[in-house]
Amino acid sequence: MLRKEQGDLLTRTGPGTPAGTLFRSYWIPALLASELPDNDCPPVRVKLLSERLLAFRDSKGRLGLIDEFCAHRGVSLWFGRNEEDGLRCPYHGWKYDYTGQCIEVPSEPVESGFCKKIKLKSYPLIERGGVLWTYMGPAGQQPPLPEWEFAQVPPGQTFTSKRIQESNWLQAMEGGIDSSHVSFLHRGELNTDPLFRGARANQYNLRDSRPVFEVVESAGGLLIGARREADDGNYYWRITQWVMPSFTMIAPRGNHPVHGHFWIPIDDENCWTWSFDYHPTRALTAEEVKAMRDGKGIHVKYVPGTFRPLANKDNDYLIDREAQKAGRTFSGVEGIAMQDASLQESMGPIVDRTKENLVSTDNGIIMARHRLLRTIKAMMDGKTATPPGVDVEHQRVRSAAVVLPPDKPFIDAAKEALTVRAGTAHASV
Ligand code: FES
Ligand SMILES: [Fe+2]
């Protein structure tokens, strides 16, 4: 459990908050590149870390992420006209460029230079791996561009989606660290979902629901090893990477694409769950991409025209009690992603961690919280400006699944498998 003040420290990410300052140290995903497909296309509202922003692509293709509201009298620039290298407020015609600089105030004489004095808050926005990334920290401390493997492989080898989750980022992320729930919550999908089924190791997951967790600190976060019984006295290890502040890579299965998540706060009660799937050495097949688009694996079906899942809080996640009773799904909710999201949202927008009763399978969660708190404290005390996970070396890592003899520590035996080796597939079972 956490004390109330510790919980508050980790879950509040608005401007000026300690965890908000942590998130503002990184390049974080803001939009899918497909949301701004063309020059001068309609702008998109983006709320991140409790700040209301607006993203647009100008006539020259330059990307801007600026304050959503006009500096004149606060109209939302979402209504703006995206034209001739800038966004024009439709109320009185003030115009802004992609850096938020006001470039025209039609009511004022040009020679007054008035517009030069007006600049909206803005953040850099760059495209990498089909995702638009932003950095919301102090301009002088901008870190190197992100080098996550899923965003570095050729476009045909990677697929990314995002969905709105109606909970604080931390309880969502904790679900990504806690792989012990797979043997329960997702057991129905291991042998049926097209992006999971057929892996030799699935039987180990289903047979042994008492994984032993070994958690080790890595340079950027944690290595979370979950050990289950395999055949002939060997151990099946699933090794999850958690990289600060909220990046998880799930251990692979067979030759399936490898997946992982980012959890990015929208505000303190909602977050974006980003889900990526990629294969380091081959293109995704048409069937795989179709399955992802159809909401299989870790992806979801949407309310049309939105990033809100079709199964959501308002319709009780379309729970099917028959399927639950018959064991087709363990919780009655369809699909791995919504099985996770439904339970995480059911805890309330910000779960009360003073009431928990943690057990040994929660070790990964305990250590992640500890590392986050330690880092936040060091930043508050001025002892560090660069938290783990900013260095691109911390990003060039992989998850792995391996079978090892019982006397081999996973951390040594799987060392090579845990870093990116371009042109080599993941270590998988
Ligand atoms: S409110 Fe935008 S120009 Fe007046
Ligand atoms: Fe899950």
Side-chain angles (χ1 to χ4, degrees):
M1 66 165 245
L2 286 178
R3 293 195 308 277
K4 183 179 178 311
E5 57 282 13
Q6 292 174 313
D8 289 350
L9 200 60
L10 289 174
T11 53
R12 297 341 192 235
T13 59
T17 59
T21 304
L22 176 71
F23 268 97
R24 286 168 177 79
S25 306
Y26 302 89
W27 284 99
I28 55 174
L31 302 99
L32 289 165
S34 56
E35 293 180 76
L36 291 177
D38 306 306
N39 297 353
D40 287 337
C41 65
V44 178
R45 296 184 191 97
V46 184
K47 191 174 183 193
L48 285 176
L49 309 179
S50 300
E51 296 185 44
R52 288 183 62 173
L53 305 165
L54 195 73
F56 72 105
R57 192 184 282 271
D58 79 5
S59 317
K60 294 196 176 71
R62 293 173 297 192
L63 295 163
L65 185 62
I66 64 173
D67 196 328
E68 181 184 337
F69 302 101
C70 181
H72 179 208
R73 276 168 45 211
V75 157
S76 170
L77 293 168
W78 180 77
F79 291 94
R81 302 173 57 90
N82 192 0
E83 58 189 18
E84 290 157 9
D85 290 340
L87 200 58
R88 190 184 293 282
C89 179
Y91 213 7
H92 315 91
W94 292 28
K95 186 173 175 183
Y96 303 90
D97 74 8
Y98 75 108
T99 68
Q101 179 62 51
C102 183
I103 49 175
E104 206 183 320
V105 175
S107 59
E108 299 298 300
V110 178
E111 38 320 336
S112 77
F114 174 75
C115 72
K116 289 204 187 74
K117 288 182 244 154
I118 307 287
K119 186 171 186 303
L120 294 175
K121 171 173 76 183
S122 79
Y123 300 117
L125 193 63
I126 61 116
E127 180 169 351
R128 190 158 268 207
V131 174
L132 304 183
W133 305 77
T134 188
Y135 162 73
M136 294 169 65
Q141 292 167 30
Q142 185 172 309
L145 298 181
E147 292 204 8
W148 306 102
E149 189 179 29
F150 84 90
Q152 301 280 65
V153 295
Q157 293 176 211
T158 187
F159 179 93
T160 302
S161 72
K162 67 171 194 178
R163 62 177 165 80
I164 289 174
Q165 174 151 346
E166 295 174 66
S167 81
N168 183 262
W169 74 279
L170 186 61
Q171 69 209 54
M173 186 192 79
E174 288 175 349
I177 291 179
D178 151 37
S179 80
S180 70
H181 74 270
V182 175
S183 302
F184 297 93
L185 181 61
H186 305 315
R187 65 183 304 128
E189 280 63 30
L190 288 182
N191 289 328
T192 58
D193 189 288
L195 299 167
F196 281 71
R197 68 185 168 213
R200 178 158 64 90
N202 288 355
Q203 53 172 318
Y204 305 144
N205 264 94
L206 295 171
R207 242 172 26 202
D208 185 353
S209 55
R210 285 209 180 82
V212 176
F213 277 75
E214 280 184 30
V215 189
V216 183
E217 287 211 354
S218 63
L222 295 176
L223 285 164
I224 301 146
R227 191 187 87 197
R228 290 175 171 86
E229 305 282 335
D231 301 315
D232 310 321
N234 290 321
Y235 288 142
Y236 166 54
W237 285 96
R238 292 184 59 73
I239 309 165
T240 302
Q241 291 267 8
W242 171 68
V243 183
M244 297 249 307
S246 61
F247 186 97
T248 55
M249 291 176 210
I250 302 164
R253 285 181 195 279
N255 192 33
H256 287 301
V258 195
H259 37 251
H261 298 287
F262 256 100
W263 285 277
I264 303 298
I266 295 173
D267 53 32
D268 293 344
E269 301 199 339
N270 298 277
C271 67
W272 286 114
T273 298
W274 286 83
S275 305
F276 63 82
D277 249 299
Y278 76 106
H279 201 290
T281 57
R282 67 163 171 87
L284 304 181
T285 66
E287 295 78 52
E288 284 168 343
V289 174
K290 181 175 183 309
M292 292 167 196
R293 287 196 200 288
D294 287 348
K296 301 293 186 196
I298 58 168
H299 307 279
V300 297
K301 294 186 190 100
Y302 299 100
V303 173
T306 75
F307 291 104
R308 189 174 198 220
L310 193 59
N312 57 54
K313 200 158 81 177
D314 295 339
N315 54 29
D316 280 333
Y317 308 92
L318 305 170
I319 194 164
D320 179 344
R321 295 291 184 184
E322 275 303 303
Q324 184 182 37
K325 200 160 246 167
R328 288 195 301 281
T329 56
F330 198 67
S331 76
V333 172
E334 193 192 321
I336 288 165
M338 290 320 296
Q339 286 164 358
D340 286 325
S342 56
L343 301 191
Q344 291 155 8
E345 291 180 4
S346 78
M347 300 167 177
I350 307 180
V351 67
D352 182 355
R353 292 181 173 78
T354 65
K355 293 188 180 150
E356 305 169 325
N357 294 286
L358 300 182
V359 292
S360 63
T361 56
D362 296 314
N363 272 348
I365 291 173
I366 293 166
M367 284 182 64
R369 291 175 184 174
H370 188 246
R371 186 106 197 239
L372 284 165
L373 284 169
R374 227 169 61 210
T375 305
I376 289 170
K377 178 125 199 335
M379 291 177 80
M380 286 165 78
D381 294 347
K383 292 201 181 108
T384 180
T386 313
V390 168
D391 185 336
V392 294
E393 280 306 320
H394 301 176
Q395 301 167 6
R396 293 195 195 110
V397 294
R398 282 181 176 177
S399 57
V402 287
V403 171
L404 297 174
D407 57 333
K408 284 249 164 69
F410 86 87
I411 187 77
D412 300 334
K415 205 174 184 132
E416 236 196 20
L418 295 170
T419 44
V420 169
R421 289 154 303 137
T424 321
H426 278 68
S428 182
V429 187

